[in-house]
Amino acid sequence: MDAELFPRARTEIAPGAVHLPDWLTADRQSELLDACRAWARPPAGLRTVRTPGGGTMTSRQVCLGRHWYPYGYARTVVDGDGAPVKEFPEWLGELGRRAVVDTLGPEAATEAAYDIALINFYDADARMGMHRDSDEKSDAPVVSLSLGDACLFRFGNTESRNRPYTDVELRSGDLFVFGGDARLAYHGVPRVQAGTAPPELGLTGRLNVTLRVSGL
Ligand SMILES: O=C(O)CCC(=O)C(=O)O
């Protein structure tokens, strides 16, 4: 396949939405994975998210900086163990700022004071339905980092969950940033490709780290 013979290219999926493959080196992926494992431990660790309709999300989640629950932010895990949310580290904010510069350019990074992370863990059967990231009070770009198994990531439009959308394969180490006109686009993860994680990473499943500016 071309993708194996040639490096995968930076792709603008929509105006303001950029996929940058292999942005994190293998060492950076390992460091981020170690950090995710520490954040996932209780208190305020990995949890199953319950939706208002009585369902549960199939990916499990842990937050930094502020706790996201359907549909808002809090300083404690209001829908879990009640513990204060873990601190958002400065180095992660710097990583987010660099991600915006590398994808959208320096002018897009002026508002990029990242203070929230949502970390989702997907086992082989987990997925995420089409949704918008609309609980923030800032229009700074969302930064998405992938670790472990590859997935099918669906990036849609700002009007509805339906077509037109573009399907993108996100692999371990890939960066996806969406801001500007794409900031409120619907997106989701219809499928994880189980068993595709780089063996040297030592992760079964997929982790996604999204960084956001709360504006709160
Ligand atoms: O796992 C992903 O790639 C997407 C995560 C996501 O859409 C979210 O956290 O809102």
Side-chain angles (χ1 to χ4, degrees), residues 20-21 38 64 71 77 98 158-159 162 165 171 178 186 194 196 198:
L20 197 52
L64 306 176
Y71 294 96
V77 184
R98 268 206 305 117
T158 54
E159 302 303 318
N162 308 320
Y165 51 67
R171 296 188 195 171
F178 52 102
Y186 283 89
T196 55

Side-chain angles (χ1 to χ4, degrees), residues 57 59 61 68 118-122 128-129 131-133 136 142 144-146 151-154 170 176 178 187-189 206-210 212:
M57 286 172 62
S59 62
Q61 190 176 87
W68 180 82
L118 268 63
I119 297 138
N120 289 293
F121 176 69
Y122 298 78
M128 190 175 285
H131 66 281
R132 299 196 294 179
D133 297 348
E136 301 77 30
V142 173
S144 157
L145 298 163
S146 293
C151 79
L152 182 73
F153 179 69
R154 182 160 289 168
L170 294 183
F176 194 98
F178 52 102
H187 58 280
V189 177
R206 172 174 187 263
L207 277 165
N208 176 260
V209 178
T210 65
R212 300 149 188 223

